[in-house]
Amino acid sequence: MNSKVKAARQNNPAQVYNEKRRIVMSKMTTDPTTARQWLDGYKKTLGPQGYAGLKAELEFFDRYSKTYRLTPALDVGDATDFTGEIDGHVNRIDVTTNIDFKKLSTYEPFQADDYRYRIAVWDGSAFELVDINFPFCQVCGQGRILPTGMLLGENYDDEGNSRWSNDQALVMICSGCGEYEVADRITTPFLYDFTHWYATLNEANQAAEDAGEEPVDIETEVRDYSSAAMRLLRQRFGQYLVGVGGRHYEITNPSNADGHWQYRLEHVLPLAQGHLQDSYPWNL
């Protein structure tokens, strides 16, 4: 082999990672303690990200090899670290320490051929096994049916008094043709919609300006609120949501504030970015 080519391969992070992975994983099946010692010995060679990634793979295999009948996968460009049996189906499993680096488009060519995928997300102490086998749309045949949460307006009784609660809708959206279905609807006290939240933040900033104080960062506050709402609704709906949003008034004529109501996604996970529109003209 040409010496320059050989040197390039030896220094290629992907080549290094796959080589060390094969060595460590082969030992993991017979002697987990020694496998972890070898991994620690490769820490400098792998670099921080490579070491963290391979450590997560070893941890997943150690915890679930028998439960899911795991088989380590070869690196053939299909985003698969293991294959295993989950809920009666063979799944390809991609282990990661940060799902924000994962894109649904990576898996779709294989899912179109009926391969099933899960992403195992390691937070340092536990794994979350994310089911990304979103159905393909039966209307257009191309898009994926993606679960999103919509924060709806405040509820009032027949006399116009606040019930101090808001409804939330589980909306399944086709990423291709935009067809949608409200699959579930719940009521939660004090989980305000984004119209209320924006108004609260604007009022807070006006008060801060009047008092000569530092204003809050509205973008950061909305992002944090979106993330918290999404975590809660995942539990309530029993679905891994890829986005959250709510009713929003879009001004089309600034001179008289004419416009229309629509539903805007305030936050979409990197996993599904590029698959959903910013807003939809629904009437939920």
Side-chain angles (χ1 to χ4, degrees):
M1 180 184 295
N2 183 286
S3 59
K4 290 185 178 180
V5 173
K6 185 176 181 179
R9 284 189 176 183
Q10 291 174 340
N11 294 325
N12 184 297
Q15 292 279 357
V16 171
Y17 184 89
N18 288 329
E19 177 191 352
K20 303 309 180 188
R21 180 182 186 271
R22 283 193 295 270
I23 295 170
V24 173
M25 196 59 70
S26 63
K27 195 64 176 176
M28 189 70 183
T29 59
T30 58
D31 188 350
T33 300
T34 300
R36 287 192 172 90
Q37 291 173 349
W38 287 359
L39 173 62
D40 289 340
Y42 294 140
K43 187 172 184 178
K44 183 176 180 180
T45 303
L46 289 167
Q49 291 183 337
Y51 174 77
L54 189 48
K55 186 176 182 179
E57 285 193 48
L58 292 188
E59 189 65 35
F60 185 79
F61 186 79
D62 189 41
R63 293 190 182 198
Y64 299 108
S65 59
K66 292 182 179 179
T67 304
Y68 298 138
R69 300 180 183 179
L70 297 178
T71 300
L74 298 175
D75 178 34
V76 293
D78 61 351
T80 305
D81 295 317
F82 302 96
T83 57
E85 187 175 320
I86 303 174
D87 296 334
H89 298 279
V90 174
N91 279 252
R92 299 180 176 196
I93 302 166
D94 188 4
V95 179
T96 184
T97 57
N98 190 346
I99 198 171
D100 288 349
F101 291 114
K102 301 298 180 180
K103 305 292 184 183
L104 189 56
S105 56
T106 301
Y107 311 94
E108 284 181 323
F110 309 102
Q111 290 177 313
D113 291 332
D114 293 330
Y115 289 105
R116 302 176 67 86
Y117 273 87
R118 305 280 181 128
I119 300 178
V121 186
W122 173 245
D123 66 2
S125 60
F127 283 97
E128 180 182 15
L129 202 58
V130 179
D131 186 349
I132 60 168
N133 298 297
F134 307 117
F136 284 90
C137 179
Q138 295 184 354
V139 176
C140 68
Q142 300 294 324
R144 309 295 296 278
I145 306 300
L146 302 177
T148 66
M150 292 294 157
L151 308 186
L152 307 182
E154 191 171 359
N155 294 320
Y156 296 89
D157 62 22
D158 293 338
E159 297 179 355
N161 299 313
S162 175
R163 295 183 181 273
W164 303 107
S165 68
N166 292 62
D167 285 0
Q168 299 82 39
L170 171 62
V171 183
M172 314 297 286
I173 311 172
C174 173
S175 63
C177 62
E179 286 286 321
Y180 73 97
E181 174 190 8
V182 178
D184 198 0
R185 191 177 180 118
I186 60 175
T187 302
T188 308
F190 304 111
L191 182 56
Y192 300 113
D193 66 347
F194 286 101
T195 298
H196 177 100
W197 190 238
Y198 274 111
T200 299
L201 293 173
N202 286 326
E203 289 175 7
N205 274 352
Q206 184 61 59
E209 182 180 340
D210 294 341
E213 299 174 349
E214 189 74 19
V216 299
D217 186 328
I218 290 180
E219 183 177 340
T220 298
E221 292 293 330
V222 170
R223 183 174 63 249
D224 291 345
Y225 187 70
S226 299
S227 297
M230 189 180 293
R231 285 194 297 270
L232 174 63
L233 293 180
R234 281 177 184 166
Q235 297 174 354
R236 297 291 304 278
F237 287 131
Q239 285 270 357
Y240 186 82
L241 305 181
V242 300
V244 65
R247 203 164 179 239
H248 170 77
Y249 188 75
E250 182 72 16
I251 296 176
T252 55
N253 187 346
S255 64
N256 58 12
D258 275 353
H260 58 270
W261 287 98
Q262 59 186 1
Y263 282 83
R264 185 173 73 183
L265 286 164
E266 297 289 346
H267 179 61
V268 176
L269 296 183
L271 178 71
Q273 284 181 357
H275 281 69
L276 293 170
Q277 300 175 30
D278 293 335
S279 59
Y280 294 88
W282 300 331
N283 182 24
L284 301 182

